[in-house]
């Protein structure tokens, strides 16, 4: 099993900006970055799609550390398993139960769980802060 497909099955690497807007509606924020990069952001920037040359190259989800639970769109149902208080061991269990291999590494005082294909779960102070899916 591929972690990318488990988390964001409707947003493949070949997804276009039109595909994203068709699924989620108009973004709350739309911008241009360095090197021609385009960013579409949703839900107060909790969901960010980054495009280069009209091709999705990074999908990022950000988690707040408050007790407030995020309300993810139905097409991102797997994200309901996580919140800003999720610990690395909980992500490892979820991945294992999904049949997805992973490895835990320490990076600059934080932890990162890497899972195929191109998925990273990032933790600060032992709590989940973001998930990044690279194309």
């Amino acid at each position: 099993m591929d972690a990318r497909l488990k988390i964001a099955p409707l947003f493949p690497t070949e997804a276009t900006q039109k595909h994203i807007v068709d699924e989620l509606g108009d973004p709350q924020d739309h911008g241009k970055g360095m090197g021609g990069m385009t960013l579409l952001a949703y839900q107060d920037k909790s969901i960010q799609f980054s495009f280069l040359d009209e091709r999705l190259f990074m999908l990022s989800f950000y988690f707040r550390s408050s007790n407030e639970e995020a309300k993810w769109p139905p097409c991102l149902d797997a994200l309901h398993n996580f919140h800003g208080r999720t610990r690395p061991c909980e992500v490892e269990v979820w991945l294992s139960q999904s049949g997805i291999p992973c490895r835990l590494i320490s990076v600059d005082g934080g932890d990162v769980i890497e899972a195929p294909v191109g998925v990273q779960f990032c933790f600060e102070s032992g709590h989940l802060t973001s998930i990044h899916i690279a194309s």
Side-chain angles (χ1 to χ4, degrees):
M1 176 59 94
D2 167 330
R4 176 191 186 90
L5 291 175
K6 181 85 173 162
I7 295 169
L10 296 181
F11 304 113
T13 56
E14 63 273 6
T16 63
Q17 291 179 48
K18 181 184 180 329
H19 178 94
I20 304 305
V21 172
D22 288 348
E23 287 294 329
L24 297 176
D26 290 329
Q28 288 179 331
D29 196 5
H30 179 273
K32 294 284 186 188
M34 293 174 49
M37 182 181 76
T38 300
L39 175 74
L40 301 181
Y42 293 84
Q43 292 186 252
D44 295 325
K45 297 185 182 179
S46 293
I47 304 171
Q48 295 183 16
F49 296 88
S50 300
F51 296 87
L52 190 58
D53 296 327
E54 297 299 318
R55 181 176 176 263
L56 181 64
F57 78 90
M58 180 71 72
L59 172 53
S60 300
F61 305 101
Y62 295 93
F63 297 84
R64 294 176 178 86
S65 60
S66 69
N67 289 333
E68 173 188 341
E69 294 294 325
K71 292 176 178 47
W72 303 104
C75 61
L76 297 169
D77 189 51
L79 292 175
H80 292 289
N81 293 293
F82 309 110
H83 46 75
R85 297 173 313 284
T86 300
R87 298 193 170 278
C89 61
E90 295 172 275
V91 171
E92 289 174 313
V93 166
W94 182 81
L95 290 166
S96 176
Q97 289 173 344
S98 300
I100 300 170
C102 67
R103 70 181 181 135
L104 175 66
I105 57 174
S106 292
V107 178
D108 293 331
D111 292 317
V112 174
I113 294 177
E114 293 184 328
V117 171
V119 178
Q120 293 185 329
F121 297 81
C122 302
F123 301 84
E124 290 179 17
S125 302
H127 295 99
L128 183 64
T129 56
S130 60
I131 299 173
H132 304 280
I133 302 174
S135 297

